[in-house]
Structures are given as structure tokens and as C-alpha cells.
Amino acid sequence: EVQLVESGGGLIQPGGSLRLSCAASGFTVRNNYMSWVRQAPGKGLEWVSIFYSGGATYYADSVKGRFTISRDNSKNTLYLQMNSLRAEDTAVYYCARGRSVGSCCQFYSWGQGTVVTVSS
Amino acid sequence: DIQMTQSPSTLSASVGDRVTITCRASQSISTWLAWYQQKPGKAPKLLIYETSSLESGVPSRFSGSGSGTEFTLTISSLQPDDFATYYCQQYDSYWTFGQGTRVEIK
């Protein structure tokens, strides 16, 4: 069974750092397109970052230079290192598995999300 | 950046109604559009990809159409389980979601 389990969220002060983890089971992270999508309280979905199976990474302008996506193939886990956090980064962060059919990607498997709250 | 605009923001409907949600892209995205359903406190669920392809396990009352800049999601006969928020997402250039359409009970 395919499963994505996020962890690492919490309450952090502005300017602080946090690392989110997404442990995958039932498939191999390195062979898939893996992404982070966030949702601020009461708001819509916002794409954050993606890690292509081939190794390329992309970021939304709102997090570029502050967030870093990575993966540990031995642990079959995706990460999101978040630095210089701001109040506007407060959100539920979802890990999602992407599928490329002609173009990358639609997101067809999602974790349950982990909550990040940036506040003093 | 490609912007996605959904309408309406909220839709009130009854069980059995035919429901249509529109999604407009700020520039052509060919047919690289997906639709998701999200219920409160839950992760989004993929319903449709590449404008009109139904994801496995999704009921056939859901359908999608369009191309270029205008797209629609149609629910042919609204069921109690369908009251939720729906998002479109383009994947032609990077990835952008619409702001969502909440389908509520009339």
C-alpha cells in the first residue's frame, strides 16, 4: 500500500528553521516526482517545491532561497528544509507524489499533512 | 507566472443537481489541467487529469472538459459525498492552483 507520512511541523519563531520529513512506503521516492504543497489556514493550495526523479529541483518564488528540497534514497524519505521562516509560511504542508503523463505533474498521492506555525 | 481563476467561489446546490465549475488560465496551458476535491481537515484527492481523464476509482459522474485557457468540471448528479471544495491546477509551466470552489448544501 502506498503511504506518505509527514512529520517535523511545529511552532517556530520568525526567522527560525525547521525541517519537514515525508516518509514514503509502497514505492521508491528516487524513481518518482515528489513535491511539497502547502495550505495556509482557511486558504487554498499553494505549490512549494518539487524534486524530479532525474534530480532537478524547482521552487515557488515565495520560498526560493529560503527552502531546500532533498531526498534520502536509503531512507526513502523526502525533506523540506525551511530557513528564515516568516509568518506567511504558516500552513499545513503536504507531501505529494506526482505523475507525469505528457507533462509533469498531477499529484495523485498525498500525505496527511504536517502543521507549521510561525509566530512569536 | 500562470494564474488560475475559478468561478464561482461558492456554489449552493442540492443532491441530484448538475454542477459546473469553471477554471480560467491567464495563458494557454493546452490540456495540462487537473481537478482535486478536498474535504475539511483532509488532503486533496485527484479527480481528473489532462483536462478530461478520470482518475482510477473516481465516480463517472465527474467529468472535465476544455482546452487552452478555459476549463470546466461537471458533476452530473450531485451526491451527499460531493459537498467539498474543488481546486483546479495547471501543470503546463510550473504548478499553480486555482483559489477553490466550495460546493455547499442548498
Side-chain angles (χ1 to χ4, degrees):
Chain A
E1 181 192 2
V2 168
Q3 201 169 11
L4 295 166
V5 179
E6 302 97 332
S7 61
L11 174 64
I12 188 76
Q13 291 189 340
S17 298
L18 212 54
R19 189 179 79 157
L20 307 183
S21 300
C22 170
S25 57
F27 71 99
T28 303
V29 164
R30 70 170 183 269
N31 294 335
N32 283 268
Y33 300 88
M34 299 297 300
S35 190
W36 290 97
V37 176
R38 69 184 180 184
Q39 187 169 36
K43 302 297 184 182
L45 301 168
E46 180 188 17
W47 170 76
V48 173
S49 182
I50 193 167
F51 203 127
Y52 274 31
S53 55
T57 59
Y58 300 94
Y59 299 91
D61 287 344
S62 58
V63 306
K64 200 173 294 182
R66 300 189 298 123
F67 290 11
T68 302
I69 193 170
S70 63
R71 67 189 184 195
D72 184 330
N73 295 335
S74 67
K75 296 182 178 179
N76 209 33
T77 298
L78 181 76
Y79 300 101
L80 186 68
Q81 177 67 44
M82 305 187 297
N83 298 332
S84 303
L85 283 162
R86 306 166 180 167
E88 54 265 35
D89 296 319
T90 294
V92 177
Y93 284 73
Y94 293 102
C95 171
R97 181 186 182 190
R99 184 176 61 205
S100 179
V101 179
S103 181
C104 170
C105 288
Q106 64 266 190
F107 302 115
Y108 71 120
S109 293
W110 296 70
Q112 84 289 350
T114 188
V115 177
V116 173
T117 303
V118 184
S119 175
S120 55
Chain B
D1 292 7
I2 299 176
Q3 310 301 318
M4 307 300 292
T5 304
Q6 290 181 232
S7 60
S9 295
T10 305
L11 188 159
S12 297
S14 302
V15 172
D17 283 355
R18 182 181 181 89
V19 166
T20 298
I21 299 169
T22 298
C23 179
R24 289 186 173 87
S26 59
Q27 64 190 71
S28 178
I29 57 170
S30 184
T31 57
W32 306 124
L33 185 99
W35 289 96
Y36 299 83
Q37 177 193 67
Q38 187 181 33
K39 296 182 178 179
K42 301 295 186 182
K45 173 187 174 183
L46 177 66
L47 299 176
I48 288 171
Y49 62 95
E50 204 173 342
T51 296
S52 59
S53 295
L54 202 64
E55 179 69 359
S56 176
V58 174
S60 58
R61 63 180 179 273
F62 291 92
S63 64
S65 64
S67 68
T69 61
E70 188 153 337
F71 303 85
T72 59
L73 172 71
T74 299
I75 308 172
S76 60
S77 178
L78 198 65
Q79 299 301 300
D81 191 48
D82 302 338
F83 292 97
T85 299
Y86 293 85
Y87 294 92
C88 62
Q89 175 231 332
Q90 68 83 18
Y91 52 101
D92 177 74
S93 176
Y94 291 84
W95 302 269
T96 318
F97 291 89
Q99 83 278 14
T101 295
R102 182 182 171 216
V103 177
E104 61 179 26
I105 300 172
K106 191 172 185 179

